[in-house]
């Protein structure tokens, strides 16, 4: 029987044995709050720039975003492989992440694009239609959630990784969703709590610092837990 509690506990056990994952998670955790800070700092002044200068700035910003996105995806692939191996070797894991990064980046872009459809739908659908659309999209995204692990652990290509995730989550939709929601609730719950505790004058810097700390500490546990969960689903289908 597949158990999300077992996955969480096994994730903690694996993390205890592989504490060096926090080092690599810290490198990855720097990227996201840095991008959020850059975006928040530059958008207000962008509208005051001349069109030509603003266009150049936007192009430069998107280039940096692409580099940051690539690096963030690389470290996630690295951490998944590192968590999966019984006796991981840093250099071999690094090389493996380099080998799979192409499929990893493209599949992640497709997944994010699919998730972004709800924003576009909100502009054209009624509230009732949007509610139905959101439910369908939530089901589809949850069914595809394990694509990253299929790519890294089973060396699947882009389309195969989505098919594999869909197949593995069969009859385990709620387990997959609740496991993901557990970590999402920790992340956004603490950020929401911070907004009530921290004064407005100190909120900005504390927000970026909190995002960094949460990503640094939670990502290794989440990845180790999902690796365990992925293995449970694989063994169940044997």
């Amino acid at each position: 029987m597949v158990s999300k509690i077992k996955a969480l506990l096994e994730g903690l056990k694996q993390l205890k044995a592989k504490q060096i994952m926090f080092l690599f998670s810290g490198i990855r955790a720097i990227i996201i709050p840095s991008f959020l800070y850059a975006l928040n700092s530059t958008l207000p002044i962008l509208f005051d720039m001349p069109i030509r200068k603003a266009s150049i700035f936007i192009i430069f910003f998107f280039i940096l975003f692409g580099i940051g996105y690539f690096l963030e995806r690389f470290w996630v692939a690295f951490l998944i492989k590192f968590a999966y191996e019984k006796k991981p070797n840093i250099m071999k894991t690094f090389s493996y992440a380099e080998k799979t990064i192409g499929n990893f980046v493209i599949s992640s872009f497709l997944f994010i694009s699919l998730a972004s459809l709800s924003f576009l739908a909100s502009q054209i659908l009624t509230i009732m239609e949007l509610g139905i659309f959101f439910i369908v999209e939530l089901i589809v995204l949850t069914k595809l959630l394990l694509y990253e692990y299929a790519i890294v652990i089973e060396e699947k290509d882009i389309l195969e990784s989505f098919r594999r995730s869909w197949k593995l989550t069969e009859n385990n939709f709620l387990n997959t969703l609740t496991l993901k929601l557990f970590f999402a609730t920790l992340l956004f719950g603490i950020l929401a709590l911070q907004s009530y505790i921290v004064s407005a004058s100190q909120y900005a810097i504390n927000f970026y610092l909190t995002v960094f700390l949460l990503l640094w500490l939670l990502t290794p546990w989440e990845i180790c837990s999902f690796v365990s969960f992925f293995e449970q689903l694989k063994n169940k289908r044997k």
Side-chain angles (χ1 to χ4, degrees):
M1 181 178 179
V2 176
S3 170
K4 50 189 173 294
I5 302 300
K6 179 182 177 182
L8 289 169
L9 295 176
E10 184 64 25
L12 284 174
K13 181 180 177 182
Q14 287 295 322
L15 188 56
K16 184 178 180 181
K18 301 174 181 178
Q19 295 183 26
I20 195 173
M21 287 182 69
F22 285 115
L23 172 62
F24 307 118
S25 176
I27 298 173
R28 182 250 180 186
I30 293 173
I31 298 172
I32 296 177
S34 297
F35 175 76
L36 291 175
Y37 177 78
L39 184 65
N40 189 53
S41 300
T42 54
L43 277 181
I45 64 173
L46 192 62
F47 297 103
D48 297 327
M49 292 182 179
I51 295 178
R52 186 176 179 180
K53 187 175 181 181
S55 300
I56 296 173
F57 192 88
I58 290 172
I59 293 172
F60 179 71
F61 184 83
F62 271 101
I63 292 173
L64 288 180
F65 172 77
I67 295 172
Y69 175 74
F70 183 89
L71 291 174
E72 188 275 336
R73 291 288 82 196
F74 172 84
W75 285 112
V76 171
F78 178 93
L79 288 167
I80 292 174
K81 184 65 174 177
F82 198 90
Y84 175 72
E85 294 294 333
K86 302 303 179 185
K87 294 181 179 180
N89 178 283
I90 293 176
M91 293 308 299
K92 288 183 178 179
T93 305
F94 195 92
S95 298
Y96 185 84
E98 283 184 322
K99 185 176 71 173
T100 60
I101 190 61
N103 286 340
F104 205 79
V105 167
I106 295 172
S107 58
S108 296
F109 178 78
L110 293 174
F111 186 83
I112 293 171
S113 298
L114 180 60
S116 301
L117 288 178
S118 57
F119 173 76
L120 296 176
S122 66
Q123 308 300 311
I124 58 176
L125 299 179
T126 65
I127 294 178
M128 182 175 292
E129 291 171 338
L130 184 60
I132 296 172
F133 180 88
F134 179 77
I135 292 172
V136 173
E137 186 182 43
L138 179 63
I139 293 172
V140 173
L141 290 176
T142 302
K143 293 284 289 178
L144 300 178
L145 193 62
L146 301 179
Y147 75 93
E148 297 172 320
Y149 300 86
I151 290 175
V152 176
I153 294 174
E154 297 185 337
E155 301 185 32
K156 301 293 186 182
D157 63 24
I158 297 168
L159 294 179
E160 285 178 342
S161 68
F162 289 126
R163 284 196 290 263
R164 180 60 168 163
S165 178
W166 191 279
K167 189 174 182 179
L168 284 176
T169 53
E170 185 177 337
N171 299 321
N172 277 284
F173 170 81
L174 288 179
N175 280 331
T176 308
L177 179 61
T178 52
L179 186 58
K180 186 63 180 180
L181 285 177
F182 172 79
F183 289 102
T185 302
L186 280 179
L187 175 62
F188 293 107
I190 293 174
L191 287 175
L193 181 63
Q194 183 204 30
S195 67
Y196 286 98
I197 297 175
V198 179
S199 63
S201 61
Q202 297 179 322
Y203 177 74
I205 186 63
N206 279 281
F207 171 79
Y208 299 117
L209 180 59
T210 304
V211 169
F212 167 77
L213 291 174
L214 288 173
L215 291 175
W216 174 43
L217 297 174
L218 288 179
T219 299
W221 185 22
E222 180 177 359
I223 287 176
C224 287
S225 298
F226 267 98
V227 166
S228 173
F229 185 68
F230 189 88
E231 289 184 298
Q232 288 185 58
L233 294 175
K234 280 177 57 180
N235 293 332
K236 181 185 177 183
R237 299 195 66 85
K238 286 182 179 179

